[in-house]
Amino acid sequence: MPEGRLAGAFAPPYSHGGRRNRSMTAEIAPAFPHRHLLGIEGLSRPDIEALLARADDAVALSRQVEKKRNVLRGRTQINLFFEPSTRTQSSFELAGKRLGADVMNMSVASSSVKKGETLIDTAATLNAMRPDIIVVRHHSAGAVHLLARKVDCAVVNAGDGAHEHPTQALLDALTIRRNKGGIEGLTVAICGDVLHSRVARSNILLLNALGARVRVIGPSTLLPTGVARLGVEVFTNMREGLKGCDIVMMLRLQRERMNGSFVPSVKEYFRYYGLDSEKLALAKPDALVMHPGPMNRGVEISSEIADGAQSLIREQVEMGVAVRMAVLEALATHLPNG
Ligand code: CP
């Protein structure tokens, strides 16, 4: 845990020694200087580290029998998901409820969006109900930014097209930090379908901000043009790219975003870019494996690795709830009477 960490409202009474009975939010919680969380882009290193510190405390809270706090008591949180989700939507719901919010999951499948209502009209309609926080996932890059300009409440990006997925990158960073003791100087390989991945983009921004060495590995058809300009080393040979890595982060082959054929066949893809024990052996002996989920076993990762001793995949899910609690708590400071 970094020196001088500043805890959030989750800290006492269950957290680390010496700080019992202090009102952390009032006394030392850092002011998060943003009204929304729309991306990792725009966050400073102190912003990121403060969120991770709050999330560490939320992990401790979530491991207790009594998991609830009142930070969002009286607040209304709407989860508006235009794309399917298991992990993100459920963890935002749990996070909001653990902080005392009233959480509504808006089912787009049964909403007026299906009758042709625009995103702006949907936003204006929800805004009229006076929510405090809207968590949005949308299939178009930039849609969440647009929505944020049309509502009065805080907005959290839960994934917009191939653009950003900031809470995924934060939970990945929290998972790495808790297992490796820090992020600075680590070599992290992000492997697979980088082209269609908002997870990759947010992770590249965040890991670079925290001083990691980032590599991207994939077939040239699945690497964005000019990706090196994001400050990464680029490999099309996975065996070369994995050498000496501390963290191997696999990405899902996002066939729903592919317009055309990007790989010859799934079998061929797994042979060259699927993570199995033979390829993982090229990374450092203590390398750890991550995947944001949902996984395609036998496409980008073997079951042996996904369920093996080096896998952090289940822990990432646990960290997801904590990070989302940290984000909601940080944004709550900007709400009226926050
Ligand atoms: N990692 C992630 O965003 O998973 P979901 O699509 O299940 O939310």
Side-chain angles (χ1 to χ4, degrees):
M1 198 156 300
E3 278 297 304
R5 61 192 289 287
L6 298 165
F10 321 122
Y14 55 85
S15 190
H16 317 283
R19 287 184 296 171
R20 277 173 189 273
N21 303 320
R22 292 172 70 184
S23 170
M24 306 304 284
T25 303
E27 288 182 20
I28 63 168
F32 186 71
H34 307 277
R35 201 179 131 220
H36 308 295
L37 179 68
L38 302 180
I40 297 299
E41 191 169 19
L43 297 187
S44 67
R45 183 170 180 155
D47 293 341
I48 294 167
E49 287 180 341
L51 286 174
L52 296 180
R54 285 179 192 265
D56 263 323
D57 288 327
V59 175
L61 175 60
S62 294
R63 288 179 180 179
Q64 292 188 159
V65 175
E66 172 56 54
K67 299 175 175 56
K68 292 203 74 155
R69 285 290 177 271
N70 287 330
V71 183
L72 294 181
R73 193 175 59 178
R75 307 293 190 187
T76 302
Q77 172 188 329
I78 298 178
N79 295 334
L80 177 60
F81 278 61
F82 292 86
E83 273 189 346
S85 167
T86 299
R87 281 145 286 266
T88 312
Q89 183 165 351
S90 55
S91 59
F92 266 114
E93 181 176 357
L94 280 179
K97 286 179 172 170
R98 282 184 190 172
L99 297 180
D102 296 316
V103 183
M104 186 190 96
N105 287 310
M106 172 106 189
S107 169
V108 170
S110 56
S111 76
S112 291
V113 171
K114 286 282 169 208
K115 300 176 192 161
E117 187 169 78
T118 65
L119 174 66
I120 303 301
D121 285 336
T122 301
T125 300
L126 294 177
N127 193 51
M129 298 180 197
R130 299 190 171 275
D132 299 286
I133 300 172
I134 302 184
V135 178
V136 192
R137 169 170 287 188
H138 198 276
H139 41 81
S140 297
V144 182
H145 289 68
L146 179 65
L147 187 139
R149 290 203 295 272
K150 303 290 176 188
V151 297
D152 301 313
C153 62
V155 174
V156 184
N157 184 354
D160 64 326
H163 179 225
E164 280 232 40
H165 192 349
T167 54
Q168 179 69 46
L170 286 162
L171 77 87
D172 290 341
L174 184 67
T175 309
I176 296 172
R177 207 173 73 146
R178 290 172 68 95
N179 281 277
K180 291 287 186 187
I183 288 179
E184 181 105 41
L186 293 180
T187 300
V188 181
I190 302 177
C191 312
D193 184 0
V194 180
L195 180 66
H196 300 101
S197 177
R198 55 198 176 208
V199 174
R201 188 176 152 74
S202 289
N203 262 303
I204 291 168
L205 293 168
L206 189 152
L207 291 165
N208 274 331
L210 296 192
R213 285 189 288 268
V214 186
R215 299 177 181 175
V216 294
I217 302 173
S220 53
T221 49
L222 292 178
L223 295 174
T225 312
V227 66
R229 285 201 295 272
L230 293 176
V232 297
E233 272 187 276
V234 182
F235 294 83
T236 52
N237 182 326
M238 190 173 189
R239 289 177 171 80
E240 285 301 314
L242 287 179
K243 284 181 189 162
C245 283
D246 298 284
I247 300 288
V248 183
M249 195 180 280
M250 299 306 300
L251 298 174
R252 185 169 62 86
L253 200 57
Q254 299 194 38
R255 282 176 279 190
E256 77 277 16
R257 292 195 208 288
M258 292 183 187
N259 188 5
S261 181
F262 287 77
V263 293
S265 71
V266 164
K267 197 170 163 202
E268 186 95 339
Y269 181 78
F270 184 75
R271 183 165 164 220
Y272 288 100
Y273 295 101
L275 189 65
D276 55 15
S277 52
E278 180 252 317
K279 294 194 199 78
L280 182 58
L282 297 165
K284 284 187 180 165
D286 62 349
L288 296 171
V289 175
M290 303 175 76
H291 192 304
M295 281 184 283
N296 290 314
R297 292 169 185 262
V299 178
E300 67 262 358
I301 191 165
S302 72
S303 280
E304 181 194 11
I305 298 300
D307 302 327
Q310 287 167 273
S311 171
L312 295 176
I313 295 169
R314 294 283 170 266
E315 191 174 330
Q316 285 174 269
V317 178
E318 181 188 2
M319 296 306 119
V321 179
V323 152
R324 283 148 189 151
M325 288 170 75
V327 167
L328 295 174
E329 188 221 22
L331 295 178
T333 58
H334 294 284
L335 298 176
N337 304 320

